[in-house]
């Protein structure tokens, strides 16, 4: 698809997100779709020249081997402006540099984003201007509501893209195809047939120099509040009639509204821990509390676990456990759906009545279904075997998908304002209980697989 003309304006173009994820996403998209003509404007508080900026863009593009006509166009035309994000005049001046529809991407720390949105209130933005806002969207439910109100004063909701790049992961979107397009799963996708669900996203990485940000967030905010609850929403949502943004967002918000802590008790429904020194793969990691940018007194967790339930007709009584941890030796990134056992097993079928387990690997997209069959030995002896499929990643990386949505005015992968607020509603009471010391902060060695706690 060609663009009638859009300019991607990155606020915070000198930062980590822009260099590591956003620009490589753009490079990949333009390589896959060389007929696009996008203009790129970088901005930041640093006084960079156009050449400095273009070399940052070139370097970021090279990480995904970006090439072709659309890439060359960006590299030869992209410009950089130093901007004070609290100044309405300077921001308006930056937007005036855009050709066609401006897409203003806030790759800024949350506090600076709020300041910049305020400064845009009185700017006369061109028709159709898109605001792209990164996570975390606010820092609790109240601030998310306030940010939504601020944003609504600048552009209509249909022009707001709240980014959760997990929604751009083809491996995450596989959940939809798998559950909705298969007769062997679609009618079983409910409390009558499913006993429990786990959503696990562990990683080997430690802080990677991002202590200043992470220590104020922690695993609960950085991973569960946003990404993992969004994944859960895809699992529990009622099937939308159409996969357009309106139906999809409505179904997702309805799903999120139904999610509550298990037994409504933050003390028993949540667990937290942080890593001590250890070796992850080949790498020695210092204890989290000793990393740069960390204040140990803040008691920030590097691993969080949460038990929740979607209290509705389809899911009541089914525990969902969400878990994410850093510095894990053998990290798992998967959705595990455990089905109920069959109601009756004939006595002569020797062996255990073991439930079917469906595993969706969120890393490589593979799917595995554990089934019971008669074994190769005694004909009536049950054995466990697996049906597996390699799905593989999509053509684009997640930020490429996210940017494609913005350029094509397709908001399906973006978060609705209410969805962003619901994520906070679910975790706010847990964070309060943690701040009040009601849930112990456990420890695990970096490189181990983290604590294994009892679950419902
Ligand atoms: P950085 O700390 O790298 O900073 C981003 C940009 O903001 C830089 O251009 C920086 O300028 C600028 N900036 C920082 N403080 C100020 C200030 N007080 N006034 C004006 N400009 C300022 O952040 P990230 O790039 O890591 O993150 C940006 C956003 O993206 C955050 O909301 C983050 O949560 C989100 N995000 C980040 C991810 C990542 O992996 N980095 C992943 C997912 C989301 P300068 O270069 O001068 O410091």
């Amino acid at each position: 698809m060609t663009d009638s003309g859009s300019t991607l304006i990155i606020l915070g173009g000198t930062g980590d997100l822009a260099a590591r994820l956003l620009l490589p996403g753009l490079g990949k998209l333009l390589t896959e779709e060389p007929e696009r003509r996008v203009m790129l404007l970088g901005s930041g508080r640093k006084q960079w020249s156009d050449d400095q900026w273009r070399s940052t863009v070139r370097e970021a593009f090279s990480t995904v081997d970006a090439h072709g006509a659309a890439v060359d166009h960006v590299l030869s035309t992209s410009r950089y402006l130093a901007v004070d994000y609290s100044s309405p005049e300077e921001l308006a001046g930056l937007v005036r540099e855009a050709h066609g529809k401006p897409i203003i991407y806030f790759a800024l720390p949350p506090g600076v984003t709020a300041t910049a949105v305020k400064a845009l209130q009185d700017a006369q933005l061109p028709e159709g201007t898109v605001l792209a806002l990164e996570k975390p969207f606010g820092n609790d439910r109240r601030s998310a509501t306030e940010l939504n109100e601020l944003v609504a004063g600048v552009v209509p909701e249909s022009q707001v893209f709240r980014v959760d790049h997990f929604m751009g992961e083809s491996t995450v979107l596989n959940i939809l195809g798998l559950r909705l397009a298969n007769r062997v799963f679609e009618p079983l996708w409910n409390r009558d047939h499913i006993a429990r669900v786990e959503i696990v996203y562990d990683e080997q990485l430690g802080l990677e120099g991002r202590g200043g940000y992470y220590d104020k967030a922690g695993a609960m905010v950085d991973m569960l509040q946003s990404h993992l609850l969004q994944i859960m929403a895809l699992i529990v949502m009622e099937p939308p009639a159409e996969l357009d943004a309106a139906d999809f967002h409505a179904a997702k918000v309805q799903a999120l509204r139904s999610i509550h802590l298990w037994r409504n008790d933050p003390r028993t429904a949540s667990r937290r821990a942080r890593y001590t020194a250890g070796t992850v793969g080949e790498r020695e990691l210092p204890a989290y509390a000793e990393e740069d940018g960390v204040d140990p007194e803040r008691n920030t967790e590097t691993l969080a676990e949460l038990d929740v339930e979607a209290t509705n007709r389809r899911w009541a009584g089914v525990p969902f456990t969400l878990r994410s941890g850093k510095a894990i030796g053998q990290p798992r990134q998967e959705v595990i759906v455990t089905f109920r056992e069959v109601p009756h097993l004939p006595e002569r079928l020797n062996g255990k009545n073991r439930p079917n387990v469906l595993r969706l690997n969120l890393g490589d997209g593979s799917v595995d279904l554990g089934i019971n069959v008669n074994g190769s030995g005694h004909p009536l002896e049950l054995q466990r075997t697996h049906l597996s499929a390699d799905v593989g990643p999509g053509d684009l990386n997640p930020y490429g998908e996210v940017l494609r949505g913005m350029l094509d005015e397709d908001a399906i992968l973006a978060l609705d304002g209410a969805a962003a607020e619901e994520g906070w509603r679910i975790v706010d009471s847990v964070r309060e209980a943690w701040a009040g010391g009601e849930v112990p902060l456990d420890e695990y060695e970096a490189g181990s697989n983290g604590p294994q706690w009892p679950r419902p």
Side-chain angles (χ1 to χ4, degrees):
M1 184 179 294
T2 50
D3 295 299
S4 54
S6 302
T7 298
L8 176 63
I9 306 177
I10 303 183
L11 312 188
T14 59
D16 180 71
L17 176 81
R20 239 172 16 89
L21 297 169
L22 201 48
L23 290 171
L26 179 66
K28 189 81 182 144
L29 173 65
L30 298 180
T31 304
E32 293 294 322
E33 299 179 6
E35 69 280 12
R36 284 187 188 274
R37 285 297 169 269
V38 180
M39 187 181 163
L40 175 67
L41 272 179
S43 80
R45 59 180 167 178
K46 292 192 172 92
Q47 296 291 336
W48 274 10
S49 65
D50 287 345
D51 280 349
Q52 264 174 303
W53 165 246
R54 285 182 198 173
S55 81
T56 299
V57 177
R58 191 171 293 109
E59 207 171 301
F61 279 7
S62 72
T63 61
V64 290
D65 190 24
H67 58 273
V71 165
D72 293 344
H73 175 75
V74 162
L75 286 172
S76 61
T77 58
S78 188
R79 297 189 44 218
Y80 176 90
L81 275 89
V83 170
D84 172 357
Y85 296 125
S86 62
S87 160
E89 296 74 29
E90 290 195 24
L91 274 168
L94 174 66
V95 176
R96 271 198 301 275
E97 297 291 321
H99 294 295
K101 182 184 70 181
I103 298 171
I104 307 177
Y105 202 114
F106 296 77
L108 295 167
V112 190
T113 292
T115 305
V117 174
K118 259 186 222 140
L120 283 171
Q121 297 279 319
D122 297 323
Q124 299 293 316
L125 295 175
E127 189 86 1
T129 298
V130 165
L131 302 190
L133 294 132
E134 264 295 338
K135 65 135 221 194
F137 190 83
N139 49 32
D140 55 18
R141 188 182 193 181
R142 193 177 49 78
S143 60
T145 307
E146 285 168 6
L147 188 51
N148 273 335
E149 284 164 4
L150 262 185
V151 169
V154 181
V155 296
E157 175 68 17
S158 59
Q159 289 160 229
V160 183
F161 282 66
R162 292 171 196 79
V163 174
D164 185 321
H165 69 273
F166 270 44
M167 289 298 112
E169 291 271 10
S170 53
T171 54
V172 169
L173 295 172
N174 283 346
I175 292 168
L176 290 180
L178 194 80
R179 63 163 281 205
L180 298 180
N182 293 290
R183 189 67 188 233
V184 291
F185 295 124
E186 198 278 332
L188 307 186
W189 211 252
N190 58 52
R191 67 188 306 281
D192 298 333
H193 301 282
I194 291 178
R196 60 167 47 254
V197 179
E198 288 164 74
I199 305 169
V200 183
Y201 206 96
D202 285 342
E203 52 190 4
Q204 283 194 317
L205 297 177
L207 274 187
E208 316 305 316
R210 298 189 67 224
Y213 156 72
Y214 191 84
D215 200 44
K216 295 193 192 82
M220 180 62 78
V221 166
D222 192 46
M223 293 298 298
L224 276 66
Q225 180 273 335
S226 48
H227 307 313
L228 300 199
L229 280 169
Q230 291 301 316
I231 293 177
M232 176 168 170
L234 297 188
I235 298 170
V236 305
M237 74 199 290
E238 288 303 314
E242 293 299 336
L243 268 189
D244 57 24
D247 277 12
F248 187 64
H249 287 177
K252 199 137 71 73
V253 170
Q254 191 189 31
L256 287 162
R257 285 214 173 102
S258 74
I259 299 175
H260 294 92
L261 299 182
W262 188 253
R263 307 278 180 246
N264 280 322
D265 184 350
R267 288 163 306 163
T268 51
S270 71
R271 296 165 288 278
R272 58 177 176 153
R274 69 179 171 189
Y275 62 80
T276 57
T279 310
V280 188
E282 308 278 282
R283 291 173 68 200
E284 301 273 335
L285 280 192
Y288 174 77
E290 286 174 9
E291 295 258 28
D292 279 349
V294 169
D295 173 2
E297 299 301 313
R298 233 186 233 129
N299 282 338
T300 301
E301 79 290 354
T302 58
L303 188 149
E305 221 176 77
L306 192 61
D307 303 317
V308 287
E309 175 185 8
T311 50
N312 57 33
R313 165 68 189 91
R314 188 186 277 267
W315 293 107
V318 179
F320 281 70
T321 298
L322 279 46
R323 168 192 169 107
S324 179
K326 281 191 176 297
I328 298 295
Q330 288 167 319
R332 291 184 299 132
Q333 298 171 350
E334 55 183 355
V335 173
I336 308 166
V337 179
T338 305
F339 288 84
R340 296 192 187 282
E341 293 174 357
V342 292
H344 172 73
L345 198 62
E347 229 172 77
R348 285 197 67 205
L349 270 184
N350 287 318
K352 269 172 78 187
N353 185 359
R354 292 174 65 186
N356 296 120
V357 178
L358 174 68
R359 300 179 101 102
L360 271 100
N361 188 316
L362 299 172
D364 63 15
S366 61
V367 181
D368 179 281
L369 178 66
I371 58 168
N372 305 312
V373 292
N374 289 125
S376 48
H378 189 285
L380 294 182
E381 179 90 17
L382 286 179
Q383 279 188 1
R384 189 68 163 183
T385 192
H386 295 268
L387 299 176
S388 303
D390 285 328
V391 180
D395 293 338
L396 293 184
N397 49 24
Y399 274 91
E401 290 289 0
V402 163
L403 289 171
R404 173 155 64 186
M406 289 171 200
L407 291 166
D408 293 348
E409 299 175 13
D410 179 1
I412 191 156
L413 301 181
L415 258 58
D416 184 74
E421 291 182 31
E422 284 301 308
W424 288 113
R425 175 196 52 81
I426 296 160
V427 306
D428 273 358
S429 64
V430 172
R431 294 172 74 219
E432 268 165 40
W434 289 7
E438 293 175 53
V439 176
L441 177 65
D442 291 346
E443 293 193 327
Y444 62 100
E445 194 181 331
S448 71
N449 287 333
Q452 304 302 320
W453 291 292
R455 292 169 175 183

